[in-house]
Amino acid sequence: MPKSSRRLVLIAAAALATLAVAGCQKGGGAVTSDDMSMGNPNAKVTVIEYASVACPFCARFNNEVFPAFKAKYIDTGKIHYVFREMLVGDDNEMAMAAAGFLMARCAGKDKYFSVVDAIFHGQQAIVQSGDVRGGLQRIGEAAGLSDAQFNSCINDDNALKALNQRVQTYTTQDGIDSTPTFVINGKKQVGDPTLASLDAAIAAAQAGK
């Protein structure tokens, strides 16, 4: 396993409940209506990122590499970018990731990526504070969620079940076992990507290689 990746672990419902109370396969299955995506859905190249908002390596990519990647490929319509939610780490990390993703989906598709981005940017401070619930709640408030809506989101059993089912599909069918993992037109790239490594992979995909 690359040093810059986290081993995948499925979330236990008890971990999320605690947070609520306290406050070699070919990757990349078909894109579905459950997926969150940006860019041109008819682009020749589809880039799927499997990540967790609790994963520090995923946060580093989001904060340091993704802005330039987005400007170069997503905003120009050169690729279809798909973000898939994973759950990694210990119970606390899994609880944070699950709650964060549930909240982001509650905020709506138009705000989903801005909420995920806010969690990535606030990840270190949230973890260091020890108040994961409070940190996420403040992000939810900034996205327009009331306290009642936030609590409803992170305690939604059906939404949690759907999240776990998606994660299970990504591990068993897409062959994903660590984050961050990228799949570019079906070819898997595991680990901490740079813009240069993504440039090369996308160029190869555009050339049909």
Side-chain angles (χ1 to χ4, degrees):
M1 180 180 68
K3 290 174 66 178
S4 56
S5 64
R6 284 286 182 93
R7 216 57 184 162
L8 176 105
V9 187
L10 293 183
I11 187 170
L16 184 58
T18 298
L19 175 63
V21 171
C24 297
Q25 299 173 14
K26 200 175 199 181
V31 177
T32 72
S33 59
D34 284 334
D35 283 316
M36 294 297 179
S37 65
M38 292 189 285
N40 178 12
N42 298 315
K44 183 176 180 179
V45 178
T46 296
V47 176
I48 303 175
E49 178 186 0
Y50 296 82
S52 165
V53 289
C55 164
F57 306 109
C58 303
R60 183 165 62 193
F61 170 77
N62 178 83
N63 301 343
E64 299 177 7
V65 180
F66 186 75
F69 172 78
K70 181 176 182 292
K72 187 172 185 177
Y73 292 110
I74 299 173
D75 295 345
T76 57
K78 293 179 180 178
I79 69 164
H80 186 206
Y81 169 79
V82 179
F83 182 91
R84 288 184 173 166
E85 303 156 343
M86 301 299 285
L87 304 172
V88 299
D90 60 24
D91 284 354
N92 290 331
E93 291 168 320
M94 289 188 291
M96 175 178 172
F101 286 137
L102 294 178
M103 178 181 70
R105 285 186 176 255
C106 278
K109 284 197 171 185
D110 60 328
K111 296 181 180 179
Y112 177 85
F113 282 106
S114 63
V115 171
V116 167
D117 180 66
I119 299 172
F120 275 134
H121 275 91
Q123 181 195 97
Q124 185 175 7
I126 291 171
V127 171
Q128 289 177 344
S129 74
D131 183 15
V132 174
R133 189 182 188 283
L136 292 178
Q137 189 167 10
R138 285 188 288 274
I139 291 173
E141 288 173 353
L145 294 177
S146 67
D147 290 350
Q149 288 172 322
F150 173 81
N151 289 326
S152 177
C153 287
I154 68 169
N155 288 291
D156 187 334
D157 289 340
N158 289 330
L160 176 60
K161 181 179 179 181
L163 172 60
N164 274 313
Q165 288 175 337
R166 289 193 298 273
V167 172
Q168 184 66 41
T169 296
Y170 302 153
T171 56
T172 59
Q173 295 185 22
D174 297 355
I176 307 301
D177 61 5
S178 63
T179 62
T181 293
F182 289 78
V183 175
I184 301 172
N185 278 14
K187 292 187 177 180
K188 191 185 299 183
Q189 181 174 323
V190 179
D192 210 359
T194 62
L195 185 58
S197 68
L198 291 171
D199 284 342
I202 290 171
Q206 290 171 331
K209 297 179 181 179

